[in-house]
Amino acid sequence: MGIGYGSGKSRTRRLAQGCFVFKPDFKKRKISVPIEDYFNHEKLESEDSKLRFETYHLLWQRMKSETEQLQEKLSENLFDSLVEFLQKSHSEFQKHSKNWGCHMKLREIPTAALILGVNVTDHNLIFRSLTETLQNNVTPYVVSLQAKDCPDVRHFLQKLTSQLMDCCVESESEEGKHVKIPRKTNDSMDSLSSWYATVTQKTCPKITSKKRTTTSGQWQSPPVVLILKNMESFSTKVLQDFIIISSQHLHEFPLILIFGIATSPVIIQRLLPHAVSSLLCVELFQSLSCKEHLTVVLDKLLLTAQFPFKISKKALQVLTNVFLYHDFSIQNFIKGLKLSLLEHFYSQPLSVLCCDLPEAKKRINFFSVNQCENVRRLPSFRRYVEKQPSEKQVALLTSETVLKEETQSLLENLHVYHINYFLVLRCLHNFISSLPKYPLGRQIRELYCTCLEQKIWDSEEYASALQLLRMLAKDELMSILQKCIEVLNSSTEMQLGNTTQKIKDFLMLFQNLDADSKEDEDACGSQIKGLQKTDLYHLQKSLLEMKESRRTAKKQTKFEVLRENVVNFIDSLVRDYLVPPESQPLHEVVYFSGAHTLREHLNAAPRIALHTALNNPYYYLKNEALKSEEGCIPNSAPDICIAYKLHLECSRLINLVDWSEAFATVVTAAEKMDANSTTSEEMSEIIHARFIRAVSELELLGFIKPTKKKTDHVARLTWGGC
């Protein structure tokens, strides 16, 4: 581009003619780095990072697909009930459309109060699935509004109108029709009613279900479903005005409301007075409890041999504690599970074997020398080698062929161990889940954590549970045994030998007890049913009395002998198959135990992070010039770091003058300034401005605040290192 000399107009013309715009070519500048390269751990020597990443990706896709199917199945009953309610409400509208305004009852707006629970972070996913279901089964006109977008009625109607227009455009594009609908209308219910009449007369959409068959047929006037995601956050006046206006136009604008409620349905009466709530025909719908949802997710992902990846007790406690004490979010729990899976494949070189058993055996055959050494370094494998004869020890430590064969055998044993482990765990849970006071917990995840931590048969709670099992009635025992048979039959891989047949034999013996045994059992069972309603003191007292009476009795009944045999059989199964995973060789391959890593990522500690960044900037910046001894202030550190470390040396009140002078001393040492130079005055002003900015940033972060005690001082808000 050249610019010549001349008049202003000519220069402007030549300048305009010589300017061109060149869009940057991002494709050339983009540096593509393979994702698997991120799996090259700095401290680990592994040549299979790509294979580990691919294994992680495939395993997570399987787990993700399982969770999506599970969530869809859990929401299916709730969504079916909602669809049935909406169809029924709309059929009433069509039936009485001519004399809609003549009946006061028909002025009521059909309203579904959807109780979703306090897991607010999961609500968006639920509403997204609900919107898709309603559009497939009920009506194309489904609108979702949030409180932050509706500060008043005008904005409420604006959002409602714009989203309805979008729904109309989408339905027209799918059907191939082009109906000109004005995009800009007056934001009022009258304009919406006229727009609705125009659209339904011209388009007449046919509602056909993609996933489920409905009996609604072809609707000439589909309803408008309005979803209020967080009803508690909406302004009371906005809701009242909108409901009153909508009820007046309901005969020409068929509206159906869905309230998303996180707390309790009582909020409807609190937000709306009786004069307004009487205009709603409310029906309650309850979603699945968060804890029940968590139990189902754990059951499908962790308490199964379908997926080889497992979590240790401490890591599982971190995830469940975040769920139970912070957000009750299933989505966040699944993200934490994904993080655990990612960290396991990143930090464990032998996680390449965390896959299906046939594939793992194939990969062992191609192990290199370094990978064989990684197997020998595993603590569980070392303990296993120490228990072997001396000849086999030498072979495992020197021969790679023997090591690979033994590794394949150990992985197969670990797979069989998991199958047996979870089957016996479910059977034990069926026995102890109905006991008084729940000595081993009510949920299966509580029992699972106990079994992961220690040998469960050494605990006092287990001994107490066995005592209570020896006092169950016949009908309760038969019901539990029937559940155990169902659990064992549900497994495609039977590894427990003749356990199923033994349980069936016990069940048959209970059914064949004679009348005398039945009378004795009924007497014993009646005592237990009374025990379940008493407190712990009377329960322990009754246990002692029963033990004493049993000691004095000369002969047990047939039922008591059979019940004792059942309890002893279950106890033997527990001792044989519920051994802690740490006792199994190669358990490190499939178990993630980095609880500390999960805490760092999931339990945020902003104050500690701020203190670390300001006190030791090298921790984040990785600049060698920022390295310094403890207690020293590096003169090349950022201004806010210098000001922060200086303020740590002050008392509760900080003199700004002294603070500024100390700051200037450190900074001038960094700049290597000459005190007698001609630019010293100008530089002092710059340093003063830098100090003011650093102090303002510390005030913004909450470390200091102005004080009225002394005008030239600031008050320190923190005390100590962090």
Side-chain angles (χ1 to χ4, degrees), residues 159-182:
K159 289 292 182 180
L160 177 60
T161 303
S162 62
Q163 291 195 31
L164 279 177
M165 298 298 179
D166 294 336
C167 294
C168 180
V169 171
E170 291 177 1
S171 62
E172 292 166 5
S173 61
E174 291 176 359
E175 296 179 5
K177 298 181 180 180
H178 300 280
V179 181
K180 294 183 179 180
I181 302 296

Side-chain angles (χ1 to χ4, degrees), residues 17 29 41 78 166 168 232 248 323 383 404 479 516 526 550 607 631 651 678 704:
Q17 292 174 354
R29 297 183 181 180
H41 200 285
L78 175 64
D166 294 336
C168 180
E232 293 93 341
Q248 300 296 330
F323 176 86
R383 293 191 297 267
K404 292 178 181 179
S479 176
D516 296 337
S526 62
R550 187 179 299 164
R607 185 177 176 185
S651 59
T678 56
I704 60 174

